[in-house]
Amino acid sequence: MRTFLIIYVFIVVATVSILGFRGSTSKKPPLEIFPDMDRQARYKPQAENQFFADGRNDRPIPINSVARGNYHNQIEVFAEDFSDSYLGDTTYNIGKSSDGEFVQKIPIKASNELMQLGHLKYDIFCTTCHGAAGDGNGVVKQYGVLAATYHDDRLRDAEDGYLYDVISNGKGLMYGLKDRMSPKERWAVVLYMRALQTSQNAQASDLSAAQRLDLGF
Ligand code: HEC
């Protein structure tokens, strides 16, 4: 009898709850236990907005903002006369030739101005780890960052494209810096690294006779 009563009550409750509330609609908002930001007061992209004088939701980028991830100046890119002769040039942009090999030589003209740019960027982005002389003795060495020295045969013989690739994409513990430097700046750093390597590995025969005389040998 007891079992019968339990089953009877269960069937009644099940019938009422399944059939009883079928099809009843409600205008009340559903009960949300975790709303998960389903509804937000936000502006939709490219929509109208009367709050701003120009009627646009999207705000122009404030002057002097630094774009992350690409080196293009937004205002220039959208200017009518924009042209980038290097756009699509893989050698210039990724340091590899069309057959996927690292290029031997920097694909832009080396100049004193490019060297100065490389020096500036090297001081900003590399000295902390690699040291001013590129020997791996940066200030972070005492904290356990063992950055490579550039003064070994492997890196002396490495292609310019390889060094460019390390700067761009990083290697091992070193992070890539392509979102912080334009391709031109990265090539400039490669040029400056070559100067650093020469500074520690120069032969008397690299100098002109006049220069040698000047130095007394
Ligand atoms: C946060 C510290 C740090 C910074 C900043 C840094 N590096 Fe490095 N770099 C390293 C470390 C660590 C290694 C060794 C990576 C490995 O082999 O695991 C390394 C390795 C290298 C190598 C050798 C790659 C090889 O084949 O062994 C080159 C070249 C290099 N860095 C260039 C640069 C240049 C140029 C900059 C500045 C644009 C720079 N690095 C900035 C930490 C840094």
Side-chain angles (χ1 to χ4, degrees):
M1 185 65 190
R2 205 158 151 248
T3 326
F4 173 77
L5 266 181
I6 290 173
I7 293 174
Y8 181 74
V9 169
F10 177 77
I11 289 175
V12 168
V13 169
T15 313
V16 170
S17 51
I18 293 168
L19 299 180
F21 298 110
R22 215 169 33 138
S24 60
T25 51
S26 163
K27 291 222 168 6
K28 285 192 206 145
L31 186 66
E32 284 178 279
I33 302 181
F34 300 111
D36 284 341
M37 298 177 80
D38 282 347
R39 270 156 287 283
Q40 311 162 29
R42 59 147 201 256
Y43 296 133
K44 296 210 170 75
Q46 303 194 357
E48 274 183 40
N49 187 332
Q50 295 316 318
F51 181 78
F52 298 106
D54 61 3
R56 296 190 291 166
N57 248 347
D58 300 313
R59 306 316 306 148
I61 295 163
I63 285 168
N64 293 335
S65 309
V66 179
R68 262 195 73 130
N70 73 55
Y71 66 97
H72 287 309
N73 173 333
Q74 307 267 341
I75 294 165
E76 273 174 21
V77 169
F78 290 106
E80 261 174 35
D81 57 352
F82 172 75
S83 76
D84 180 343
S85 53
Y86 291 117
L87 212 66
D89 178 345
T90 48
T91 307
Y92 180 75
N93 286 309
I94 63 174
K96 289 180 184 168
S97 58
S98 51
D99 53 10
E101 300 289 321
F102 289 121
V103 286
Q104 288 293 337
K105 289 271 160 264
I106 297 175
I108 46 175
K109 205 171 160 294
S111 64
N112 193 27
E113 180 224 340
L114 195 70
M115 185 68 90
Q116 299 297 337
L117 177 67
H119 188 174
L120 178 77
K121 295 291 162 182
Y122 183 87
D123 281 354
I124 295 171
F125 291 110
C126 322
T127 15
T128 37
C129 294
H130 289 278
D135 53 6
N137 286 318
V139 288
V140 297
K141 193 178 181 184
Q142 53 182 312
Y143 304 107
V145 178
L146 297 179
T149 165
Y150 307 147
H151 308 299
D152 64 19
D153 285 342
R154 188 176 60 87
L155 290 178
R156 282 185 193 123
D157 295 342
E159 306 89 341
D160 286 348
Y162 175 74
L163 299 180
Y164 179 85
D165 183 72
V166 173
I167 300 172
S168 310
N169 301 312
K171 188 189 175 226
L173 286 177
M174 177 182 153
Y175 49 79
L177 288 149
K178 66 173 167 226
D179 55 350
R180 274 160 262 194
M181 278 190 275
S182 70
K184 183 181 173 194
E185 289 164 348
R186 282 175 263 155
W187 285 118
V189 172
V190 173
L191 184 66
Y192 185 69
M193 284 171 74
R194 291 305 192 198
L196 286 180
Q197 287 178 326
T198 310
S199 77
Q200 310 291 310
N201 189 39
Q203 309 297 324
S205 55
D206 296 339
L207 300 172
S208 68
Q211 286 168 323
R212 262 180 282 168
L213 207 64
D214 214 24
L215 291 166
F217 50 75

